[in-house]
Amino acid sequence: MIKQFLMNLMLSFIWVALTGSLYYTNFLFGFLLGFAILWVMNRNEADQRYFFRVPKTVSFILFFLWEMIVANAQVAYDVITPKFFMKPAIVKYPMDAKTDLEINLLSTFISLTPGTLILDVSEDKRTLFIHVMYMKSKEQFVSTLKNNVERRLLEILR
């Protein structure tokens, strides 16, 4: 998988060198073109993980950016209005993530979203304790986090 990613980067740089246009959009187009070329060349290979993980990674990044924009708008609206809409709570979140890398990335993505903060990880590494500024329903928060953020992140990592 690393070999395919490095080959894709090399094809992107070759595209940029051939076109003579050093812009990020041109590099992105070269990356997509290289991805398509590698996919066509490796259709019959046994290891197809790279071709499934790249679209899932892009989808996760776009999803996370959208969630961050929505959370920032919510916090900004709460700051500029005279009434506070905060309903803070601490949530005990049972994780499906097992390895240290998965737990670390999950907690980092949760903490990057405004209005949430990771307080602690349990000793058995099965539970996160999360401080949430805008709590409507604990069950809804846990299910949203599990079905959106954690599921998408684990699809990329596993």
Side-chain angles (χ1 to χ4, degrees):
M1 194 170 99
I2 298 292
K3 178 181 127 182
Q4 292 163 330
F5 177 70
L6 292 175
M7 183 70 79
N8 201 352
L9 281 179
M10 185 181 75
L11 288 172
S12 301
F13 285 122
I14 289 172
W15 174 259
V16 168
L18 288 175
T19 59
S21 173
L22 186 59
Y23 296 109
Y24 69 92
T25 54
N26 193 33
F27 180 79
L28 183 63
F29 180 75
F31 189 83
L32 293 174
L33 187 63
F35 182 82
I37 290 169
L38 288 173
W39 180 71
V40 168
M41 289 176 57
N42 294 321
R43 283 185 306 185
N44 298 326
E45 295 290 323
D47 188 16
Q48 294 286 320
R49 290 180 299 165
Y50 178 72
F51 303 106
F52 294 113
R53 284 188 182 175
V54 169
K56 286 182 182 182
T57 304
V58 170
S59 170
F60 180 75
I61 290 170
L62 293 174
F63 163 76
F64 184 72
L65 288 174
W66 175 253
E67 289 293 318
M68 188 175 287
I69 289 169
V70 168
N72 276 314
Q74 183 179 20
V75 171
Y77 179 75
D78 195 24
V79 168
I80 62 173
T81 56
K83 182 181 176 196
F84 287 113
F85 297 100
M86 289 188 284
K87 294 180 182 171
I90 296 177
V91 177
K92 184 177 178 181
Y93 177 72
M95 294 184 293
D96 293 332
K98 303 289 184 224
T99 66
D100 288 342
L101 176 68
E102 292 171 351
I103 294 169
N104 192 3
L105 285 175
L106 177 64
S107 61
T108 300
F109 279 116
I110 292 171
S111 291
L112 282 174
T113 306
T116 57
L117 178 69
I118 302 298
L119 298 175
D120 196 14
V121 178
S122 66
E123 300 234 359
D124 61 356
K125 296 182 181 180
R126 294 184 182 178
T127 306
L128 279 179
F129 296 96
I130 307 170
H131 179 270
V132 183
M133 278 178 51
Y134 302 99
M135 178 60 62
K136 295 175 184 162
S137 164
K138 288 185 181 185
E139 294 80 21
Q140 179 187 7
F141 176 78
V142 169
S143 69
T144 302
L145 200 59
K146 189 165 287 296
N147 294 329
N148 289 335
V149 178
E150 187 175 19
R151 179 187 56 82
R152 289 174 188 233
L153 184 64
L154 293 179
E155 284 177 355
I156 295 169
L157 295 175
R158 291 183 180 168

